[in-house]
């Protein structure tokens, strides 16, 4: 027969670009359903089977189309187990086995949605990254990064409950239908603080349908400050226009956003983002911070004043008065001279920058402070369009608060309550409101939530909620840009319902609850609802819609500023607040703070967040009361807790102080315990472990909220088992619950507290960092822009001397190696002419949040190890977030207000790596492109490399952390008898391109080598496509270095991608100044950590630049963290 | 040594030749047969009750500690030990260096003292060599099992493989593998060769039966013909010559594990000599700790005389002082360097969280041996025994200081964390002690604990010219005579 | 007194040594020959649910590799055709061939025992989990399928042609020129360097070796030998 | 003595002390015997000369054994590290300049190989193990490993004569002279 040749068309040249979800799939193309269907039954089966769950990083492929599932050993072939390849029957569009697909979505949050790009492997979301196309893209914080784990959380709620008991879906549907069919129902809806246009629209429809419908909003940590701006209104800051910033306890850089913070960080860098400009102190903004305890933003402040919460109002009043704010007229004056001397130049500075300055207040501050802030901005002319400070209407108007709700319940105005808030009112509502009682009074209460928390048990109905990656919705960012929330995957568990789906069910006539997908795989009703909303905002038609799905946002849809004036009730609020303040007087005050790991308690079951150390206190897996050293002394509990400089006797009799002293009385590592205090406030008494926290205001105790939600018999503190079913293995026995201390009046601050030491009682605390001082080693370096007339000189001089800071580097001679790093043909060993990878970390904008740390964990399949292992010092995070305090002895302004300077340390990829030479089996060697590679499968675990690593960047798998569940007490020590991580689905989150390490091997950062390889290979593919597209024979196509080299800054590593402060630049050193990395490396403030050992690290640091106001009393102590070292 | 004019050939008339008389190594003019009887008696007679009282418990401890400990370790993971991501090497490596150090005295006594013709060694070298072998066995356990994936330990051997990948010959750890295994092999050969004639002796003494057959096999059919002896002596000399540099190299290589690293407090050129001295120091202490009791239990006082103990005490004094010097020199260099990391490393040793370890090391290793300056102390077996024990403990603490203290406080304070061993750590260590004792007791039970042939050789009457000086004029005697003439 | 050992025992040690030596040597040799991928993996030829013949489809019908393995150029993973790839043709061609029964069960709704479940092909070329081999990286740089998979076009039933051991990979990474081809020829199983050269002569290139070197130079192929190239 | 005819091994004579043995040995040597040996519980100083033995050639074996060791180590290290699969380790050169790093292993293997040569060289030279030997059949020979000093002259020596040799030994001071026969 004659030979016929079918030519398969070459994939188009632009195929290398990433694929975005096309709506074709959503409008229910059969293929799309096909693979979701195929995927999830198998997925469920997979999850049931704990064994496979860990077998390999590719085990997920077992669920997937093109997979290799290992079947019965040696069945057919005696030589090796037979394994199968199971292709799709019908290929879904865009899904290429082995290739990731990226979709735009966003995470709805009270502070404003976080725009995201979600990485999917064969339909499983595995990694979140900020959507940099988005105008409000700000990087992602630890919460966002970790939220992908919630999707697969083993303790996630999967089945409906009635009265705390498992209930059938049928009964649930019946109940919903009944409710939907009763338009007269007195139903109340309790929402979270996030803004969803579709929900807002549906609210209207609900109000129309249910005559008795009422709507409320509740976030445990919101506070009532918002009132100051009017109902549903909130302030939005534009940091790009703010040259002077005064923040009253507002952690806008991290936990308390008021606008695009990356603009703020950009203006922290003397060279601006990307280091394009010459270093210029003028271009920097200046941050004044007034706060009670260190916040991450506070750590960056140029001038920081620590005041007890009650005093803060007085201070605000003083400043306002000096700025000429009428509302502040009647307020008490500040008496303290030091504070006055601090305020005077500050006010001058603000006045000098009318219209270019910004004053913000923390969301937890009382309305009074916000009134003043608004007024001050008004006086300074910072208000209005094109100015740093704006007030906007979010549309969350007409929503009652928790008080109103409870009042309505008692009055009978609400008989049925639908709770959709991510908060947990039964647990976190102010004690005096007695929410449980109100709940009991209701005819029917429906709770929609991802966790079976106490509210879920208390409510008459609990509906498992869909994760935001599982359902359709929309949201608005802090600045108000319309942002789509699109599902990556059908609900992992069939009964999970999204908020919109529930509302829509109630709106529908038959009240049929449709979740996931409709009949015959019709898209979820939520999809149509969102489309409808969008049609109203972004216009009809597929084109707009498609571009929304592609980009993830609607351009130019930000809030429009409203004309805001201090409202009338300022006159009422301020005096009240002053009264409250005077009541508190100088008594011991308590700050109820959001926790960096569990926020208000909602993330208690997220293992990544629990293990991530608190950025300030470095506590993992628990919360503890924080107290300033002096206050501790005054309260007479100081000797019980960590001494700043414990004293011991060397050789038994020579007294030693400071760093050389032996371990303090509270122990170190696995022996560390914290004493327990009894805290009495608002007439309630509770016990908390207490640790010292530096730079905290005197007379202040800070207690992070959200812990202590459930206990079993393994509790370290011997609490009796209760509410065990409310939490999973991660959240059980975690920390101490402070919510019972809160009352409506004192939701976030409480005065008149008293503290008593509980004798003989101690609680084990796991810290990742035991020592907070640099001890004279110039590790994290800092300079200031002013000449404070000591020998340090001006900005230029200080910049120039960065590399020479510290006792060793100042006079260490240059390292010159005896050896030439060459092979036997005289070629250099780092031979790659295309790529030489490098990184720089800018301490000027790094504030020490854990975003990079968690992002790294998500990207590189890093296991959690549990509290006890962390305490021993076996945490696995590839990035260690060191946080140093620099206390200045000669600081006569406020010696107890040390500088805080963070320093993330991962593997710095030394060109001359000490770890490599000592490995006997060549398991860690250098790649030609300058990576310090780690071959897990070759490693036998001598751990010599880790000993010899000066940066201690290597982590060892002491146990099968991935296989044996580290969260069950002693489980790891049971070896093969230990329980496995069953029922969970977290193996679905694993990155298929990174090996899951077994016990006994070393691991560490490799600059996300999997991403680098992918980028380089894609570049090569592109080459071929272009050449063939050009129609030239390949033998004539010209491949040059420049064509094979990946485009400048085109590859991002996980930590860099996540960083909200753009502190990390990564790239190809051979791009020279073309890349921001190349420019960063050229800067004078670029230095190598531990330079004098001569390891030639590829990761370098940029010294932190502080921009103090020379006129400030503390100016000359600023920017010297490395110099004035304790 | 006191000189005497009492000469060998008083009987013969002629010029009176004063001859220096050697101090006797074997007391009370024992006969060849007495020596044979006595030494073989140790393993032929029924063991004293004490033997059983020692053997049974130590064997049990070994079984539980080493057997059980390793089982738990391998089945569960290195995590059962106290090691952390800061202190990656904890007790296991401390114990390794400790044991390998002890393993040095044996070969050293046999080799170096043999080359330097120190005949007094003959009474103790056998036991010392046995000690070496057992100590190295104990030592080997730790590095072998402290690796994370012991089932892949064969990656350390340069075997051609389908992966075409090899070892890293630049790694001190690989040097270690070669050094320790070589050292073990050579010591074994040395020990066995030295034992062959004695095995023959035992073979020829015991009645037909299994014992005779076994000893017969291991005696290789030794006949004691001079044609064998001449080659045999040459072989022994060669082995001694080979072992001497070997024994020095082994601990130097072990010290390279630390010295070639960049770790402050480890990165010092003084390490090799300092480790070797330490090893000899600790080794001799262990020999004393074991031989003094054995000497009493088996009544070997005439062969292991006070002279032996005195000599060993002197060596301990010398090496102890060298070690002390090394400690001080380390400190001096650290502070002289002006590098803060270096200085701190040592300040932490002196006054840091583990100051007690440093204090113990200093007092036990440097101070306690100084008592040996006094003859009284060297002669009082209780004192000797006590000091020997001190040194054993002190040397363990030395390794603890070097490894744990240093790693717990390295470069970045943000990373500092102290370390404490787990129960399994201690379990295994005790286990190896049990194993060491058990093996040594078995050795006493089944093998000649003193080198019979060599001891006989050191007897004065063993000299073929012992009784006829004039036929073969003694060179020394003649010179002496000439000298006397000139005087008179 | 008599000898405890008989005369013959004098030669015994020697005999033992000789025997032990031979045995040990033999084992070593056997091991190094049999216990290697070369013997263990090569020639692995399981029977497939459908006796798909590459010979027919590629050699006789002239199908391009990428007709079925469609993503080999863009993905690290060379996909096995989905059910509907086969079905496209076979719903018309050879419908009632009994060999295609499994395909019908998986794809043909009218088939009595239709279940829509995918066909489970038996995996032949399997690398360990910790090895990351990227097909696209190789085929788009001039390494042919043939180099690793052998003459698949001639295979009635596919078998493993090469041992796929790390050593084997390294051979090519050290001297890629032996396997490089013009990109157009990557999927051409009939490719023969000699003929290709005669058809399109290049100046300065006479032998196939020179061609390989020329291509290496042309494409700037610099394969890496470092661990991270395949393990991360 | 049994009537069965046995092959004679030779005469075994005892001497009362090392010097006796020494003198006797000198005489036997001068008498020109070749196939004979002195037996003693320990190596007797100078007896080699007295017997006219040459210095052992074992050192030569060992020398070459050692050289082999060094060479092996060097080839192993150099080929694997520089030729076969050079890896980039702490930026250290992968050429001849990296050899210093191999010295420790070269040294160790030298010693190891030498040690083995000593062991096996010795066994070869003294023809051990040989578990069976006519002398073991002697009544008194067992004392050779305890406190006996013997000379045995083999019948294979061409100077050997049943009577003369016996007398000679007696005259040299040998006692309990015994005719040692080979067993079946």
């Amino acid at each position: 027969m004659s030979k016929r040749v079918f030519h398969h068309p070459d994939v188009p040249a632009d195929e290398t670009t990433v694929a975005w979800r096309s709506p074709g799939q959503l409008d229910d193309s059969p293929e799309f359903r096909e693979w979701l269907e195929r995927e999830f039954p198998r997925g469920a089966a997979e999850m049931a089977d704990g064994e496979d769950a860990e077998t390999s990083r590719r085990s997920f492929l077992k669920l997937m189309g093109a997979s290799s599932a290992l079947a019965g050993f040696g069945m057919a072939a005696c030589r090796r187990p037979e394994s199968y390849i199971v292709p799709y029957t019908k290929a879904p569009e865009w899904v290429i086995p082995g290739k990731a697909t990226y979709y735009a979505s966003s995470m709805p949050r009270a502070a404003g949605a976080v725009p995201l790009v979600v990485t999917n492997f064969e339909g499983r979301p595995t990694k979140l990254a900020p959507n940099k196309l988005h105008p409000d893209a700000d990087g992602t914080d630890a919460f966002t990064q970790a939220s992908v784990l919630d999707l697969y959380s083993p303790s996630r709620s999967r089945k409906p409950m009635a009265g705390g008991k498992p209930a059938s879906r049928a009964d649930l549907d019946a109940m919903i239908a009944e409710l939907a069919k009763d338009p007269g129902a007195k139903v109340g809806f309790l929402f979270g603080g996030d803004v969803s246009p579709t929900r807002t629209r549906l609210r209207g429809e609900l109000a129309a349908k249910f005559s008795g419908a009422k709507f409320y909003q509740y976030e445990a940590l919101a506070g009532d400050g918002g009132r100051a701006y009017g109902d549903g209104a909130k302030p939005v800051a534009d940091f790009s226009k703010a040259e002077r910033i005064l923040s009253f306890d507002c952690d806008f850089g991290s936990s308390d956003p008021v606008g695009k913070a990356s603009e703020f960080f950009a203006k922290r860098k003397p060279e601006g983002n990307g280091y394009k400009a010459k270093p210029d102190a003028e271009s920097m903004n200046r941050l004044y911070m007034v706060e009670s305890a260190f916040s991450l933003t506070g750590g960056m402040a140029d001038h920081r004043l620590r005041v007890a919460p009650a005093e803060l109002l007085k201070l605000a009043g003083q400043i306002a008065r000096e700025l000429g704010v009428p509302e502040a007229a009647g307020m008490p004056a500040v008496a303290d001279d030091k504070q006055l001397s601090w305020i005077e130049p500050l006010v001058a500075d603000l006045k000098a920058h009318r219209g270019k300055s910004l004053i913000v207040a923390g969301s937890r501050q009382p309305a009074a402070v916000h009134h003043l802030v608004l007024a001050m901005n008004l006086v300074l002319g910072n208000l209005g369009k094109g100015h740093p400070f704006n007030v906007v209407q979010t549309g969350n108007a007409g929503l009652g608060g928790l008080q109103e709700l409870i009042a309505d319940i008692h009055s009978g105005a609400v008989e049925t309550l639908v709770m959709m808030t991510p908060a947990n009112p039964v647990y976190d509502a102010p004690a005096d409101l007695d929410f449980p009682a109100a709940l009991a009074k209701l005819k029917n209460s429906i709770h929609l939530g991802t966790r079976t928390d106490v509210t879920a048990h208390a409510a008459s109905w609990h509906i498992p909620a869909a994760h935001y990656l599982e359902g359709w919705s929309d949201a608005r960012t802090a600045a108000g840009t319309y942002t789509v929330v699109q599902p990556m995957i059908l609900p992992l568990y069939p009964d999970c319902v999204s908020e919109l789906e529930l509302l829509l069910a109630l709106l529908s006539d038959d009240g049929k609850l449709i979740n996931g997908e409709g009949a015959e795989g019709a898209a979820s009703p939520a999809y149509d609802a969102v489309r409808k909303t969008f049609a109203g905002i972004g216009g009809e038609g597929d084109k707009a819609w498609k571009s929304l799905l592609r980009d993830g946002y609607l351009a130019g849809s930000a809030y429009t500023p409203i004309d805001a004036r201090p409202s009338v009730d300022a006159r009422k609020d301020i005096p009240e607040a002053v009264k409250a303040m005077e009541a508190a007087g100088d008594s011991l005050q308590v700050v109820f703070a959001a926790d960096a790991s569990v926020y208000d308690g909602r993330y208690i079951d997220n293992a990544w967040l629990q293990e991530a150390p608190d950025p300030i206190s470095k506590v993992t897996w628990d919360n503890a009361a924080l107290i300033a050293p002096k206050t501790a002394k005054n309260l007479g509990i100081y000797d019980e807790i960590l001494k700043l400089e414990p004293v011991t006797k060397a050789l038994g009799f020579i007294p030693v102080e400071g760093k050389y002293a032996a371990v303090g009385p509270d122990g170190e590592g696995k022996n560390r315990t914290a004493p327990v205090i009894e805290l009495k406030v608002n007439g309630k008494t509770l016990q908390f472990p207490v640790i010292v926290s530096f730079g905290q205001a005197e007379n202040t105790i800070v207690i992070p909220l959200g812990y202590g939600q459930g206990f079993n018999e393994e509790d370290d503190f011997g609490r009796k088992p209760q509410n065990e079913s409310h939490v999973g293995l991660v959240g059980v026995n975690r920390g101490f619950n402070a919510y019972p201390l809160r009352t409506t009046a004192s939701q976030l601050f409480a005065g008149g507290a008293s503290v008593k030491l509980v004798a003989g009682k101690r609680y084990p605390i796991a810290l990742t960092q035991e020592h907070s001082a640099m001890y004279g080693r110039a590790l994290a370096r800092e300079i200031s822009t002013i000449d404070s007339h000591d020998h340090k000189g001006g900005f230029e001089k200080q910049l120039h001397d960065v590399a020479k800071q510290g006792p060793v580097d100042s006079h260490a001679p240059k390292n010159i190696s005896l050896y030439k790093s060459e092979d036997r043909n005289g070629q250099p060993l780092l031979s790659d002419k295309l790529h030489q990878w490098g990184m720089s970390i800018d301490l000027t904008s790094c504030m020490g949040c854990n975003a990079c740390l968690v992002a790294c964990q998500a990207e590189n399949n890093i296991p959690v190890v549990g509290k006890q292992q962390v305490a021993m010092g076996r945490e696995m995070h590839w990035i260690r977030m060191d946080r140093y305090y620099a206390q200045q002895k000669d600081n006569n302004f406020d010696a107890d207000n040390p500088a805080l300077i963070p320093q993330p340390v991962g593997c710095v990829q030394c060109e001359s790596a000490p770890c490599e030479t000592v490995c006997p089996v060549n398991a860690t060697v250098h790649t030609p492109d300058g990576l310090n590679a780690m071959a897990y499968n070759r490693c036998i675990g001598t751990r010599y490399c880790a000993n010899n690593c000066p940066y201690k960047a290597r982590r060892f798998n002491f146990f099968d952390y991935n296989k044996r569940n580290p969260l069950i007490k002693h489980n790891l020590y049971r070896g093969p008898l230990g329980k496995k991580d069953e029922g969970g689905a977290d193996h679905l989150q694993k990155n298929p391109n990174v090996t899951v390490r077994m016990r006994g091997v070393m691991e560490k950062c490799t600059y996300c080598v999997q991403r680098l390889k992918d980028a380089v290979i894609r570049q090569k593919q592109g080459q071929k496509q272009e050449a063939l597209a050009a129609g030239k024979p390949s033998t004539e196509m010209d491949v040059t270095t420049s064509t094979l080299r990946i485009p400048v800054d085109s590859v991002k590593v996980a930590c860099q991608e996540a960083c909200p402060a753009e502190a990390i630049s990564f790239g190809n050193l051979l791009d020279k100044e073309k890349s921001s990395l190349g420019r960063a490396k050229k800067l004078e403030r670029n230095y190598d950590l531990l330079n004098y050992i001569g390891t030639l690290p590829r990761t370098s640091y940029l010294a932190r630049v502080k921009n103090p106001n020379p006129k400030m009393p503390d100016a000359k102590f600023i920017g010297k963290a490395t110099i004035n070292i304790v | 040594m006191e000189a005497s004019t009492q000469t060998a050939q008083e009987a013969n008339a002629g010029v009176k030749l004063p001859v220096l008389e050697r101090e006797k190594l074997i007391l009370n003019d024992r006969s060849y047969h007495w020596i044979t009887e006595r030494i073989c008696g140790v393993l032929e007679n029924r063991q004293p009750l004490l033997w059983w009282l020692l053997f049974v418990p130590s064997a049990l401890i070994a079984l539980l500690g080493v057997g059980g400990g390793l089982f738990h370790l391998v089945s569960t993971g290195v995590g059962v030990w106290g090691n952390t991501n800061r202190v990656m090497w904890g007790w296991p490596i401390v114990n390794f260096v400790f044991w390998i150090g002890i393993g040095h005295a044996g070969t050293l006594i046999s080799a170096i003292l043999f080359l330097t013709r120190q005949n007094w060694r003959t009474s103790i070298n056998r036991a010392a060599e046995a000690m070496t072998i057992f100590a190295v066995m104990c030592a080997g356990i730790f590095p072998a099992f402290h690796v994370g994936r012991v089932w892949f330990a064969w990656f350390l051997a340069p075997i051609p493989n389908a992966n075409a990948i090899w070892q890293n010959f630049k790694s001190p750890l690989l040097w270690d593998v070669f050094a320790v295994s070589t050292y073990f092999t050579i010591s074994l050969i040395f020990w066995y060769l030295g034992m062959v004639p004695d095995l023959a002796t035992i073979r020829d003494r015991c009645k037909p039966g299994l014992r005779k057959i076994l000893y017969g096999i291991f005696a290789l059919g030794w006949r004691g013909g001079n044609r064998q002896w001449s080659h045999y002596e040459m072989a022994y000399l060669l082995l001694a010559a080979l072992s001497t540099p070997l024994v020095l190299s082994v601990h130097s290589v072990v010290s390279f594990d630390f010295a070639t690293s960049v770790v402050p407090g480890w990165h010092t050129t003084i390490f090799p000599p300092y480790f070797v001295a330490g090893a000899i120091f600790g080794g001799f202490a262990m020999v004393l700790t074991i031989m003094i009791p054995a000497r009493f239990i088996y009544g070997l006082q005439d062969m292991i005389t006070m002279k032996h103990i005195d000599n060993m005490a002197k060596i301990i004094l010398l090496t102890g002082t060298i070690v002390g010097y090394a400690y001080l020199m380390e400190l001096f260099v650290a502070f002289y360097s002006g590098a803060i990391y270096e200085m701190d490393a040592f300040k932490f040793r002196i006054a840091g969280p583990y100051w007690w370890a440093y204090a113990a090391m200093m007092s036990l290793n440097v101070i306690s041996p100084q008592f040996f300056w006094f003859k009284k102390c060297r002669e009082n077996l209780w004192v000797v025994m006590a000091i020997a024990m001190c040194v054993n403990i002190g040397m363990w603490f030395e390794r603890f200081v070097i490894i744990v203290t240093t790693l717990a406080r390295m470069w970045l304070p943000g990373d500092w964390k102290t370390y404490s061993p787990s129960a399994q750590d201690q379990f295994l260590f005790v286990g190896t002690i049990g194993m060491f004792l058990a093996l040594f007791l078995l050795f006493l039970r089944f093998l000649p604990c003193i080198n019979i042939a060599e001891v006989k050789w050191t007897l004065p009457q063993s000299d073929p010219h012992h009784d006829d000086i004039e036929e073969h004029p003694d060179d020394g005697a003649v010179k002496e005579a000439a000298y006397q003439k000139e005087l008179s | 007194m008599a000898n405890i050992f008989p005369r013959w025992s004098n030669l015994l040690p020697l005999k033992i040594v000789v025997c032990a030596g031979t045995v040990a040597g033999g084992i070593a040799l056997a091991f190094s020959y049999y216990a290697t991928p070369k013997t263990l993996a090569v020639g692995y030829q399981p029977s497939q649910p459908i006796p798909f013949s590459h010979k027919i489809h590629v050699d006789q019908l002239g199908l391009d590799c990428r007709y079925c393995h469609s993503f080999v150029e863009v993905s690290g993973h060379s996909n096995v055709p989905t059910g509907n790839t086969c079905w496209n043709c076979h719903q018309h061609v050879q419908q009632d061939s009994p060999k295609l029964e499994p395909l019908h069960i998986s794809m043909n709704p009218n088939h009595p025992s239709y279940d829509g479940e995918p066909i489970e092909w038996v995996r032949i070329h399997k690398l360990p989990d910790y090895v990351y081999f990227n097909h696209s990286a190789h085929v788009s740089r001039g390494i042919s399928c043939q180099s690793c998979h052998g003459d698949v076009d001639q295979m009635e039933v596919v078998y493993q042609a090469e041992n796929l051991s790390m050593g084997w990979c390294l051979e090519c990474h050290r001297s890629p020129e032996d396997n490089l081809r013009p990109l157009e020829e990557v999927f051409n199983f009939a490719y023969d360097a000699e003929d290709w050269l005669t058809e399109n002569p290049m100046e300065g290139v006479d032998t196939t070796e020179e061609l390989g070197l020329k291509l290496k130079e042309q494409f700037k192929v610099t394969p890496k030998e470092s661990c991270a190239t395949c393990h991360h | 003595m049994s009537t069965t005819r046995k092959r004679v091994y030779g005469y075994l004579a005892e001497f009362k002390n090392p010097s006796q043995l020494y003198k006797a040995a000198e005489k036997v040597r001068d008498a020109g015997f070749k196939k004979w040996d002195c037996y003693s519980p320990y190596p007797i100083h100078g007896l080699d000369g007295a017997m006219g033995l040459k210095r052992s050639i074992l050192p030569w074996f060992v020398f070459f054994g050692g050289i082999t060791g060094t060479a092996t180590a060097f080839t192993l290290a150099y080929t694997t590290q520089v030729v076969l699969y050079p890896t980039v380790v702490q930026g250290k050169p992968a050429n001849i300049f990296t050899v210093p790093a191999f010295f420790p292993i070269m040294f160790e293997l030298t010693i190891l190989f030498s040690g083995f040569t000593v062991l096996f060289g010795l066994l070869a030279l003294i023809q051990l193990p040989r578990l069976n030997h006519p002398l073991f059949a002697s009544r008194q020979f067992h004392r050779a490993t305890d406190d006996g000093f013997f000379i045995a002259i083999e019948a294979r020596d061409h100077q050997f004569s049943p009577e003369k040799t016996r007398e000679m030994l007696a005259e040299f001071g040998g006692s309990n002279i015994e005719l040692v026969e080979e067993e079946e």
Side-chain angles (χ1 to χ4, degrees), chain A residues 906-1015:
Chain A
C907 173
V908 294
Q909 318 289 340
C910 315
E911 279 178 21
S912 168
C915 55
E916 290 167 348
T917 190
V918 297
C919 175
V921 293
N922 267 331
T924 181
V925 300
H926 235 68
T927 66
D929 48 6
L931 297 184
N932 172 233
M934 182 70 220
Y936 307 118
N937 46 306
R938 176 70 176 173
C939 176
I940 61 173
T942 68
R943 305 198 285 296
Y944 196 178
C945 52
N947 277 351
N948 210 22
C949 172
Y951 309 89
K952 278 277 187 265
R954 290 175 161 266
R955 304 285 178 265
F956 186 69
N957 289 271
F958 283 97
F959 289 108
D960 255 328
Y961 294 119
N962 281 302
K963 219 174 190 172
R964 311 285 159 197
N965 189 339
L967 301 173
I968 306 167
K969 213 170 190 179
H970 307 311
N971 193 45
L972 293 169
Y973 291 80
R974 300 201 182 101
L977 306 175
K979 284 204 194 56
K980 294 178 173 173
D981 198 354
E982 273 146 14
D986 30 6
H987 58 284
L988 289 174
Q989 181 278 328
K990 297 271 187 268
N991 180 347
N993 294 328
V994 178
T995 310
V996 170
R997 284 77 60 184
M998 76 178 295
R999 86 163 141 104
V1001 307
M1002 192 59 71
E1003 62 185 66
K1004 67 165 197 63
C1005 160
T1006 47
Y1007 278 168
C1008 292
V1009 59
Q1010 65 279 10
R1011 291 187 175 205
L1012 306 184
K1013 261 182 58 190
D1014 187 54

Side-chain angles (χ1 to χ4, degrees), chain D residues 170-182:
Chain D
E171 155 197 343
F172 292 166
S175 53
N176 330 346
I177 300 171
E178 173 190 9
L179 182 73
V180 181
E181 294 172 323
E182 307 217 358

